[in-house]
Amino acid sequence: GIQVEQSPPDLILQEGANSTLRCNFSDSVNNLQWFHQNPWGQLINLFYIPSGTKQNGRLSATTVATERYSLLYISSSQTTDSGVYFCAVGSDYKLSFGAGTTVTVRA
Amino acid sequence: GAVVSQHPSWVICKSGTSVKIECRSLDFQATTMFWYRQFPKQSLMLMATSNEGSKATYEQGVEKDKFLINHASLTLSTLTVTSAHPEDSSFYICSAPGRGGTEAFFGQGTRLTVV
């Protein structure tokens, strides 16, 4: 199956800082999504981005499909950004998840 | 985005009993839904693909007789954990493709504790 590697595994930020999360994957895919898992376990859709660049407020993402990686940018981080960020890739809606990046934003 | 609803959000059951978890797509029809499992501090692992009107397809290592999946309508898939044991305690979460077919949306998940 497709291998998905996320880095770093843990990230501690001071409020207001910027950060970059990376996702590498081992094969061509037609679906790549970024999620934020809240403390209750729900997966919040951040981006559907099999290629290209998107922005939504303080978050943006870029996927370079030919080089099999994606980046998630968090700017001006807030304490509410804390949680686990997952990258998931696959064919259509059948997804393989990375191990996640645990982000802690300190006030 | 699409809305996928799971019920119950959490359940505690005794060892040896069976538990049914429902996954509904509220505003669209889903011929295919997916079931994932997440152990504490770990990532999500795909368990099976639920197909409306036909048998589910299971990932390698997932016992189909233990995790029964039924997809009887275009808006409902159910996962039944049969003869549950403490090692089945986990977070179970379903997904379905949204309207327009561009991305997957997830239910809120079900936390199962077997005592």
Side-chain angles (χ1 to χ4, degrees):
Chain A
I2 298 174
Q3 304 301 309
V4 185
E5 294 182 358
Q6 288 187 244
S7 60
D10 299 281
L11 191 58
I12 299 175
L13 302 170
Q14 202 64 35
E15 199 169 27
N18 302 328
S19 64
T20 301
L21 283 61
R22 187 178 180 102
C23 172
N24 293 334
F25 47 98
S26 62
D27 206 348
S28 299
V29 298
N30 61 15
N31 187 355
L32 189 148
Q33 294 184 237
W34 283 96
F35 298 93
H36 179 203
Q37 188 168 40
N38 68 20
W40 298 271
Q42 178 146 24
L43 289 174
I44 309 299
N45 287 43
L46 297 178
F47 294 102
Y48 167 77
I49 188 166
S51 64
T53 297
K54 290 185 178 180
Q55 181 162 5
N56 184 4
R58 295 181 296 103
L59 301 180
S60 62
T62 296
T63 297
V64 183
T66 53
E67 298 186 23
R68 298 180 184 168
Y69 74 89
S70 183
L71 302 174
L72 176 70
Y73 304 97
I74 305 174
S75 64
S76 303
S77 59
Q78 301 176 358
T79 55
T80 52
D81 294 331
S82 295
V84 183
Y85 289 79
F86 286 106
C87 167
V89 305
S91 302
D92 299 317
Y93 320 109
K94 185 175 179 179
L95 298 175
S96 296
F97 280 75
T101 294
T102 301
V103 174
T104 303
V105 182
R106 294 178 173 168
Chain B
V3 179
V4 179
S5 178
Q6 244 178 278
H7 177 81
S9 297
W10 59 271
V11 58
I12 301 173
C13 71
K14 291 185 177 180
S15 188
T17 63
S18 296
V19 174
K20 180 184 286 188
I21 302 169
E22 294 185 347
C23 178
R24 293 182 185 274
S25 56
L26 298 184
D27 58 353
F28 60 98
Q29 296 180 332
T31 56
T32 305
M33 294 185 181
F34 300 89
W35 288 94
Y36 295 79
R37 178 169 53 182
Q38 184 181 30
F39 291 108
K41 304 295 185 183
Q42 295 188 24
S43 188
L44 284 79
M45 296 296 293
L46 179 66
M47 297 176 65
T49 302
S50 175
N51 304 297
E52 188 268 337
S54 65
K55 291 183 178 180
T57 52
Y58 292 81
E59 296 301 301
Q60 192 172 6
V62 177
E63 300 175 57
K64 60 181 179 182
D65 294 331
K66 181 167 190 60
F67 299 99
L68 301 181
I69 291 173
N70 184 280
H71 194 150
S73 78
L74 289 172
T75 59
L76 174 64
S77 174
T78 61
L79 168 68
T80 301
V81 183
T82 63
S83 187
H85 291 283
E87 58 265 31
D88 298 322
S89 298
S90 188
F91 187 66
Y92 294 88
I93 189 166
C94 68
S95 77
R99 192 185 300 111
T102 55
E103 64 186 286
F105 291 86
F106 285 78
Q108 65 267 51
T110 298
R111 198 164 301 280
L112 170 64
T113 302
V114 184
V115 298

PDB file of all heavy atoms in Angstrom, chain A residues 30-58:
ATOM      1  N   ASN A  30      -4.693  10.340  -6.475  1.00  0.00           N
ATOM      2  CA  ASN A  30      -5.613  11.336  -7.017  1.00  0.00           C
ATOM      3  C   ASN A  30      -6.426  12.010  -5.916  1.00  0.00           C
ATOM      4  O   ASN A  30      -7.361  12.752  -6.193  1.00  0.00           O
ATOM      5  CB  ASN A  30      -6.537  10.728  -8.078  1.00  0.00           C
ATOM      6  CG  ASN A  30      -7.412   9.619  -7.528  1.00  0.00           C
ATOM      7  OD1 ASN A  30      -7.558   9.455  -6.325  1.00  0.00           O
ATOM      8  ND2 ASN A  30      -8.011   8.840  -8.416  1.00  0.00           N
ATOM      9  N   ASN A  31      -6.062  11.711  -4.681  1.00  0.00           N
ATOM     10  CA  ASN A  31      -6.719  12.368  -3.548  1.00  0.00           C
ATOM     11  C   ASN A  31      -5.683  12.635  -2.472  1.00  0.00           C
ATOM     12  O   ASN A  31      -4.918  11.743  -2.093  1.00  0.00           O
ATOM     13  CB  ASN A  31      -7.836  11.477  -2.988  1.00  0.00           C
ATOM     14  CG  ASN A  31      -8.662  12.181  -1.917  1.00  0.00           C
ATOM     15  OD1 ASN A  31      -8.356  13.301  -1.508  1.00  0.00           O
ATOM     16  ND2 ASN A  31      -9.718  11.544  -1.474  1.00  0.00           N
ATOM     17  N   LEU A  32      -5.626  13.858  -2.012  1.00  0.00           N
ATOM     18  CA  LEU A  32      -4.791  14.201  -0.870  1.00  0.00           C
ATOM     19  C   LEU A  32      -5.577  15.199  -0.031  1.00  0.00           C
ATOM     20  O   LEU A  32      -6.069  16.210  -0.553  1.00  0.00           O
ATOM     21  CB  LEU A  32      -3.449  14.802  -1.289  1.00  0.00           C
ATOM     22  CG  LEU A  32      -2.424  15.000  -0.168  1.00  0.00           C
ATOM     23  CD1 LEU A  32      -1.009  14.840  -0.685  1.00  0.00           C
ATOM     24  CD2 LEU A  32      -2.588  16.312   0.560  1.00  0.00           C
ATOM     25  N   GLN A  33      -5.715  14.887   1.240  1.00  0.00           N
ATOM     26  CA  GLN A  33      -6.467  15.764   2.124  1.00  0.00           C
ATOM     27  C   GLN A  33      -5.680  16.015   3.403  1.00  0.00           C
ATOM     28  O   GLN A  33      -4.935  15.143   3.875  1.00  0.00           O
ATOM     29  CB  GLN A  33      -7.831  15.149   2.482  1.00  0.00           C
ATOM     30  CG  GLN A  33      -8.773  15.031   1.291  1.00  0.00           C
ATOM     31  CD  GLN A  33     -10.152  14.506   1.659  1.00  0.00           C
ATOM     32  OE1 GLN A  33     -10.609  13.498   1.137  1.00  0.00           O
ATOM     33  NE2 GLN A  33     -10.835  15.198   2.563  1.00  0.00           N
ATOM     34  N   TRP A  34      -5.853  17.189   3.961  1.00  0.00           N
ATOM     35  CA  TRP A  34      -5.316  17.542   5.269  1.00  0.00           C
ATOM     36  C   TRP A  34      -6.492  17.673   6.236  1.00  0.00           C
ATOM     37  O   TRP A  34      -7.527  18.275   5.909  1.00  0.00           O
ATOM     38  CB  TRP A  34      -4.558  18.858   5.216  1.00  0.00           C
ATOM     39  CG  TRP A  34      -3.195  18.778   4.607  1.00  0.00           C
ATOM     40  CD1 TRP A  34      -2.842  19.056   3.314  1.00  0.00           C
ATOM     41  CD2 TRP A  34      -1.976  18.435   5.288  1.00  0.00           C
ATOM     42  NE1 TRP A  34      -1.486  18.886   3.138  1.00  0.00           N
ATOM     43  CE2 TRP A  34      -0.921  18.521   4.334  1.00  0.00           C
ATOM     44  CE3 TRP A  34      -1.654  18.069   6.598  1.00  0.00           C
ATOM     45  CZ2 TRP A  34       0.413  18.242   4.651  1.00  0.00           C
ATOM     46  CZ3 TRP A  34      -0.332  17.796   6.909  1.00  0.00           C
ATOM     47  CH2 TRP A  34       0.689  17.892   5.949  1.00  0.00           C
ATOM     48  N   PHE A  35      -6.291  17.118   7.443  1.00  0.00           N
ATOM     49  CA  PHE A  35      -7.312  17.163   8.479  1.00  0.00           C
ATOM     50  C   PHE A  35      -6.709  17.675   9.778  1.00  0.00           C
ATOM     51  O   PHE A  35      -5.518  17.492  10.050  1.00  0.00           O
ATOM     52  CB  PHE A  35      -7.879  15.764   8.764  1.00  0.00           C
ATOM     53  CG  PHE A  35      -8.555  15.103   7.603  1.00  0.00           C
ATOM     54  CD1 PHE A  35      -7.849  14.263   6.761  1.00  0.00           C
ATOM     55  CD2 PHE A  35      -9.906  15.296   7.362  1.00  0.00           C
ATOM     56  CE1 PHE A  35      -8.470  13.635   5.696  1.00  0.00           C
ATOM     57  CE2 PHE A  35     -10.542  14.666   6.302  1.00  0.00           C
ATOM     58  CZ  PHE A  35      -9.815  13.841   5.466  1.00  0.00           C
ATOM     59  N   HIS A  36      -7.576  18.249  10.601  1.00  0.00           N
ATOM     60  CA  HIS A  36      -7.240  18.585  11.980  1.00  0.00           C
ATOM     61  C   HIS A  36      -8.157  17.747  12.860  1.00  0.00           C
ATOM     62  O   HIS A  36      -9.384  17.815  12.709  1.00  0.00           O
ATOM     63  CB  HIS A  36      -7.471  20.083  12.228  1.00  0.00           C
ATOM     64  CG  HIS A  36      -7.171  20.522  13.620  1.00  0.00           C
ATOM     65  ND1 HIS A  36      -7.730  21.658  14.170  1.00  0.00           N
ATOM     66  CD2 HIS A  36      -6.360  20.002  14.570  1.00  0.00           C
ATOM     67  CE1 HIS A  36      -7.271  21.815  15.408  1.00  0.00           C
ATOM     68  NE2 HIS A  36      -6.443  20.821  15.666  1.00  0.00           N
ATOM     69  N   GLN A  37      -7.566  16.944  13.738  1.00  0.00           N
ATOM     70  CA  GLN A  37      -8.394  16.143  14.634  1.00  0.00           C
ATOM     71  C   GLN A  37      -8.558  16.886  15.956  1.00  0.00           C
ATOM     72  O   GLN A  37      -7.559  17.192  16.626  1.00  0.00           O
ATOM     73  CB  GLN A  37      -7.782  14.760  14.874  1.00  0.00           C
ATOM     74  CG  GLN A  37      -8.727  13.833  15.641  1.00  0.00           C
ATOM     75  CD  GLN A  37      -8.276  12.394  15.636  1.00  0.00           C
ATOM     76  OE1 GLN A  37      -7.103  12.087  15.751  1.00  0.00           O
ATOM     77  NE2 GLN A  37      -9.231  11.468  15.489  1.00  0.00           N
ATOM     78  N   ASN A  38      -9.790  17.167  16.307  1.00  0.00           N
ATOM     79  CA  ASN A  38     -10.025  17.932  17.543  1.00  0.00           C
ATOM     80  C   ASN A  38      -9.951  17.005  18.762  1.00  0.00           C
ATOM     81  O   ASN A  38      -9.837  15.780  18.624  1.00  0.00           O
ATOM     82  CB  ASN A  38     -11.344  18.698  17.453  1.00  0.00           C
ATOM     83  CG  ASN A  38     -12.582  17.814  17.443  1.00  0.00           C
ATOM     84  OD1 ASN A  38     -12.545  16.662  17.865  1.00  0.00           O
ATOM     85  ND2 ASN A  38     -13.687  18.365  16.977  1.00  0.00           N
ATOM     86  N   PRO A  39      -9.981  17.579  19.968  1.00  0.00           N
ATOM     87  CA  PRO A  39      -9.816  16.757  21.181  1.00  0.00           C
ATOM     88  C   PRO A  39     -10.884  15.672  21.329  1.00  0.00           C
ATOM     89  O   PRO A  39     -10.664  14.701  22.048  1.00  0.00           O
ATOM     90  CB  PRO A  39      -9.894  17.783  22.305  1.00  0.00           C
ATOM     91  CG  PRO A  39      -9.439  19.058  21.669  1.00  0.00           C
ATOM     92  CD  PRO A  39      -9.954  19.006  20.270  1.00  0.00           C
ATOM     93  N   TRP A  40     -12.005  15.799  20.696  1.00  0.00           N
ATOM     94  CA  TRP A  40     -13.067  14.803  20.780  1.00  0.00           C
ATOM     95  C   TRP A  40     -12.943  13.738  19.680  1.00  0.00           C
ATOM     96  O   TRP A  40     -13.757  12.828  19.601  1.00  0.00           O
ATOM     97  CB  TRP A  40     -14.444  15.478  20.702  1.00  0.00           C
ATOM     98  CG  TRP A  40     -14.638  16.408  21.839  1.00  0.00           C
ATOM     99  CD1 TRP A  40     -15.151  16.132  23.076  1.00  0.00           C
ATOM    100  CD2 TRP A  40     -14.269  17.795  21.871  1.00  0.00           C
ATOM    101  NE1 TRP A  40     -15.122  17.266  23.849  1.00  0.00           N
ATOM    102  CE2 TRP A  40     -14.597  18.286  23.142  1.00  0.00           C
ATOM    103  CE3 TRP A  40     -13.698  18.661  20.934  1.00  0.00           C
ATOM    104  CZ2 TRP A  40     -14.375  19.613  23.515  1.00  0.00           C
ATOM    105  CZ3 TRP A  40     -13.470  19.981  21.296  1.00  0.00           C
ATOM    106  CH2 TRP A  40     -13.807  20.439  22.581  1.00  0.00           C
ATOM    107  N   GLY A  41     -11.932  13.886  18.844  1.00  0.00           N
ATOM    108  CA  GLY A  41     -11.659  12.879  17.839  1.00  0.00           C
ATOM    109  C   GLY A  41     -12.180  13.181  16.453  1.00  0.00           C
ATOM    110  O   GLY A  41     -11.826  12.495  15.491  1.00  0.00           O
ATOM    111  N   GLN A  42     -13.016  14.185  16.332  1.00  0.00           N
ATOM    112  CA  GLN A  42     -13.576  14.465  15.011  1.00  0.00           C
ATOM    113  C   GLN A  42     -12.520  15.002  14.065  1.00  0.00           C
ATOM    114  O   GLN A  42     -11.675  15.816  14.458  1.00  0.00           O
ATOM    115  CB  GLN A  42     -14.727  15.459  15.096  1.00  0.00           C
ATOM    116  CG  GLN A  42     -15.299  15.809  13.727  1.00  0.00           C
ATOM    117  CD  GLN A  42     -16.776  16.058  13.730  1.00  0.00           C
ATOM    118  OE1 GLN A  42     -17.334  16.403  14.767  1.00  0.00           O
ATOM    119  NE2 GLN A  42     -17.415  15.910  12.596  1.00  0.00           N
ATOM    120  N   LEU A  43     -12.582  14.534  12.820  1.00  0.00           N
ATOM    121  CA  LEU A  43     -11.675  15.000  11.787  1.00  0.00           C
ATOM    122  C   LEU A  43     -12.305  16.186  11.063  1.00  0.00           C
ATOM    123  O   LEU A  43     -13.370  16.065  10.473  1.00  0.00           O
ATOM    124  CB  LEU A  43     -11.384  13.889  10.781  1.00  0.00           C
ATOM    125  CG  LEU A  43     -10.511  12.747  11.268  1.00  0.00           C
ATOM    126  CD1 LEU A  43     -10.437  11.660  10.219  1.00  0.00           C
ATOM    127  CD2 LEU A  43      -9.118  13.229  11.610  1.00  0.00           C
ATOM    128  N   ILE A  44     -11.615  17.300  11.123  1.00  0.00           N
ATOM    129  CA  ILE A  44     -12.088  18.507  10.455  1.00  0.00           C
ATOM    130  C   ILE A  44     -11.351  18.634   9.127  1.00  0.00           C
ATOM    131  O   ILE A  44     -10.115  18.657   9.092  1.00  0.00           O
ATOM    132  CB  ILE A  44     -11.812  19.756  11.307  1.00  0.00           C
ATOM    133  CG1 ILE A  44     -12.342  19.561  12.737  1.00  0.00           C
ATOM    134  CG2 ILE A  44     -12.398  20.992  10.641  1.00  0.00           C
ATOM    135  CD1 ILE A  44     -13.818  19.325  12.823  1.00  0.00           C
ATOM    136  N   ASN A  45     -12.108  18.711   8.038  1.00  0.00           N
ATOM    137  CA  ASN A  45     -11.474  18.870   6.721  1.00  0.00           C
ATOM    138  C   ASN A  45     -10.825  20.240   6.614  1.00  0.00           C
ATOM    139  O   ASN A  45     -11.482  21.257   6.802  1.00  0.00           O
ATOM    140  CB  ASN A  45     -12.527  18.733   5.618  1.00  0.00           C
ATOM    141  CG  ASN A  45     -13.006  17.307   5.429  1.00  0.00           C
ATOM    142  OD1 ASN A  45     -13.240  16.602   6.401  1.00  0.00           O
ATOM    143  ND2 ASN A  45     -13.165  16.897   4.187  1.00  0.00           N
ATOM    144  N   LEU A  46      -9.531  20.249   6.290  1.00  0.00           N
ATOM    145  CA  LEU A  46      -8.834  21.506   6.073  1.00  0.00           C
ATOM    146  C   LEU A  46      -8.705  21.793   4.586  1.00  0.00           C
ATOM    147  O   LEU A  46      -9.072  22.873   4.118  1.00  0.00           O
ATOM    148  CB  LEU A  46      -7.461  21.483   6.727  1.00  0.00           C
ATOM    149  CG  LEU A  46      -7.420  21.329   8.251  1.00  0.00           C
ATOM    150  CD1 LEU A  46      -5.974  21.280   8.727  1.00  0.00           C
ATOM    151  CD2 LEU A  46      -8.179  22.453   8.931  1.00  0.00           C
ATOM    152  N   PHE A  47      -8.135  20.843   3.870  1.00  0.00           N
ATOM    153  CA  PHE A  47      -7.925  21.021   2.440  1.00  0.00           C
ATOM    154  C   PHE A  47      -8.087  19.694   1.703  1.00  0.00           C
ATOM    155  O   PHE A  47      -7.677  18.651   2.192  1.00  0.00           O
ATOM    156  CB  PHE A  47      -6.506  21.553   2.130  1.00  0.00           C
ATOM    157  CG  PHE A  47      -6.242  22.936   2.624  1.00  0.00           C
ATOM    158  CD1 PHE A  47      -5.511  23.138   3.779  1.00  0.00           C
ATOM    159  CD2 PHE A  47      -6.720  24.036   1.927  1.00  0.00           C
ATOM    160  CE1 PHE A  47      -5.270  24.419   4.249  1.00  0.00           C
ATOM    161  CE2 PHE A  47      -6.485  25.324   2.381  1.00  0.00           C
ATOM    162  CZ  PHE A  47      -5.760  25.513   3.548  1.00  0.00           C
ATOM    163  N   TYR A  48      -8.701  19.782   0.534  1.00  0.00           N
ATOM    164  CA  TYR A  48      -8.636  18.727  -0.462  1.00  0.00           C
ATOM    165  C   TYR A  48      -7.684  19.259  -1.522  1.00  0.00           C
ATOM    166  O   TYR A  48      -8.004  20.238  -2.204  1.00  0.00           O
ATOM    167  CB  TYR A  48     -10.017  18.445  -1.052  1.00  0.00           C
ATOM    168  CG  TYR A  48      -9.982  17.600  -2.301  1.00  0.00           C
ATOM    169  CD1 TYR A  48      -9.777  16.231  -2.225  1.00  0.00           C
ATOM    170  CD2 TYR A  48     -10.129  18.173  -3.558  1.00  0.00           C
ATOM    171  CE1 TYR A  48      -9.739  15.456  -3.370  1.00  0.00           C
ATOM    172  CE2 TYR A  48     -10.088  17.409  -4.708  1.00  0.00           C
ATOM    173  CZ  TYR A  48      -9.891  16.053  -4.612  1.00  0.00           C
ATOM    174  OH  TYR A  48      -9.842  15.290  -5.746  1.00  0.00           O
ATOM    175  N   ILE A  49      -6.486  18.662  -1.654  1.00  0.00           N
ATOM    176  CA  ILE A  49      -5.466  19.289  -2.482  1.00  0.00           C
ATOM    177  C   ILE A  49      -4.556  18.243  -3.132  1.00  0.00           C
ATOM    178  O   ILE A  49      -3.386  18.113  -2.749  1.00  0.00           O
ATOM    179  CB  ILE A  49      -4.673  20.333  -1.662  1.00  0.00           C
ATOM    180  CG1 ILE A  49      -3.741  21.140  -2.551  1.00  0.00           C
ATOM    181  CG2 ILE A  49      -4.009  19.728  -0.436  1.00  0.00           C
ATOM    182  CD1 ILE A  49      -3.185  22.395  -1.908  1.00  0.00           C
ATOM    183  N   PRO A  50      -5.076  17.509  -4.139  1.00  0.00           N
ATOM    184  CA  PRO A  50      -4.216  16.542  -4.834  1.00  0.00           C
ATOM    185  C   PRO A  50      -3.106  17.199  -5.641  1.00  0.00           C
ATOM    186  O   PRO A  50      -2.105  16.550  -5.975  1.00  0.00           O
ATOM    187  CB  PRO A  50      -5.190  15.795  -5.744  1.00  0.00           C
ATOM    188  CG  PRO A  50      -6.371  16.689  -5.872  1.00  0.00           C
ATOM    189  CD  PRO A  50      -6.443  17.473  -4.593  1.00  0.00           C
ATOM    190  N   SER A  51      -3.233  18.490  -5.919  1.00  0.00           N
ATOM    191  CA  SER A  51      -2.173  19.230  -6.576  1.00  0.00           C
ATOM    192  C   SER A  51      -2.442  20.721  -6.390  1.00  0.00           C
ATOM    193  O   SER A  51      -3.564  21.123  -6.050  1.00  0.00           O
ATOM    194  CB  SER A  51      -2.092  18.896  -8.066  1.00  0.00           C
ATOM    195  OG  SER A  51      -3.268  19.311  -8.724  1.00  0.00           O
ATOM    196  N   GLY A  52      -1.392  21.520  -6.578  1.00  0.00           N
ATOM    197  CA  GLY A  52      -1.577  22.961  -6.541  1.00  0.00           C
ATOM    198  C   GLY A  52      -1.499  23.570  -5.161  1.00  0.00           C
ATOM    199  O   GLY A  52      -0.990  22.968  -4.227  1.00  0.00           O
ATOM    200  N   THR A  53      -1.997  24.784  -5.058  1.00  0.00           N
ATOM    201  CA  THR A  53      -1.928  25.561  -3.827  1.00  0.00           C
ATOM    202  C   THR A  53      -3.301  26.110  -3.488  1.00  0.00           C
ATOM    203  O   THR A  53      -4.033  26.553  -4.377  1.00  0.00           O
ATOM    204  CB  THR A  53      -0.926  26.728  -3.980  1.00  0.00           C
ATOM    205  OG1 THR A  53       0.375  26.193  -4.211  1.00  0.00           O
ATOM    206  CG2 THR A  53      -0.902  27.586  -2.721  1.00  0.00           C
ATOM    207  N   LYS A  54      -3.643  26.059  -2.190  1.00  0.00           N
ATOM    208  CA  LYS A  54      -4.893  26.628  -1.707  1.00  0.00           C
ATOM    209  C   LYS A  54      -4.637  27.383  -0.425  1.00  0.00           C
ATOM    210  O   LYS A  54      -3.715  27.075   0.309  1.00  0.00           O
ATOM    211  CB  LYS A  54      -5.939  25.521  -1.455  1.00  0.00           C
ATOM    212  CG  LYS A  54      -6.464  24.857  -2.702  1.00  0.00           C
ATOM    213  CD  LYS A  54      -7.575  23.870  -2.349  1.00  0.00           C
ATOM    214  CE  LYS A  54      -8.159  23.233  -3.612  1.00  0.00           C
ATOM    215  NZ  LYS A  54      -9.241  22.258  -3.285  1.00  0.00           N
ATOM    216  N   GLN A  55      -5.501  28.342  -0.161  1.00  0.00           N
ATOM    217  CA  GLN A  55      -5.396  29.094   1.088  1.00  0.00           C
ATOM    218  C   GLN A  55      -6.778  29.246   1.695  1.00  0.00           C
ATOM    219  O   GLN A  55      -7.774  29.429   0.987  1.00  0.00           O
ATOM    220  CB  GLN A  55      -4.776  30.471   0.850  1.00  0.00           C
ATOM    221  CG  GLN A  55      -4.625  31.289   2.120  1.00  0.00           C
ATOM    222  CD  GLN A  55      -3.657  32.441   1.984  1.00  0.00           C
ATOM    223  OE1 GLN A  55      -3.148  32.713   0.901  1.00  0.00           O
ATOM    224  NE2 GLN A  55      -3.391  33.118   3.086  1.00  0.00           N
ATOM    225  N   ASN A  56      -6.810  29.170   3.030  1.00  0.00           N
ATOM    226  CA  ASN A  56      -8.052  29.378   3.759  1.00  0.00           C
ATOM    227  C   ASN A  56      -7.701  30.086   5.062  1.00  0.00           C
ATOM    228  O   ASN A  56      -7.263  29.460   6.023  1.00  0.00           O
ATOM    229  CB  ASN A  56      -8.754  28.055   4.033  1.00  0.00           C
ATOM    230  CG  ASN A  56     -10.100  28.253   4.707  1.00  0.00           C
ATOM    231  OD1 ASN A  56     -10.547  29.378   4.913  1.00  0.00           O
ATOM    232  ND2 ASN A  56     -10.771  27.158   5.026  1.00  0.00           N
ATOM    233  N   GLY A  57      -7.837  31.389   5.042  1.00  0.00           N
ATOM    234  CA  GLY A  57      -7.497  32.162   6.245  1.00  0.00           C
ATOM    235  C   GLY A  57      -6.015  32.083   6.551  1.00  0.00           C
ATOM    236  O   GLY A  57      -5.175  32.358   5.702  1.00  0.00           O
ATOM    237  N   ARG A  58      -5.707  31.657   7.780  1.00  0.00           N
ATOM    238  CA  ARG A  58      -4.295  31.562   8.190  1.00  0.00           C
ATOM    239  C   ARG A  58      -3.637  30.258   7.727  1.00  0.00           C
ATOM    240  O   ARG A  58      -2.447  30.071   7.935  1.00  0.00           O
ATOM    241  CB  ARG A  58      -4.208  31.660   9.716  1.00  0.00           C
ATOM    242  CG  ARG A  58      -4.649  33.008  10.279  1.00  0.00           C
ATOM    243  CD  ARG A  58      -4.503  33.034  11.802  1.00  0.00           C
ATOM    244  NE  ARG A  58      -5.372  32.065  12.447  1.00  0.00           N
ATOM    245  CZ  ARG A  58      -4.968  30.898  12.934  1.00  0.00           C
ATOM    246  NH1 ARG A  58      -3.694  30.561  12.848  1.00  0.00           N
ATOM    247  NH2 ARG A  58      -5.828  30.075  13.505  1.00  0.00           N
TER     248      ARG A  58
END
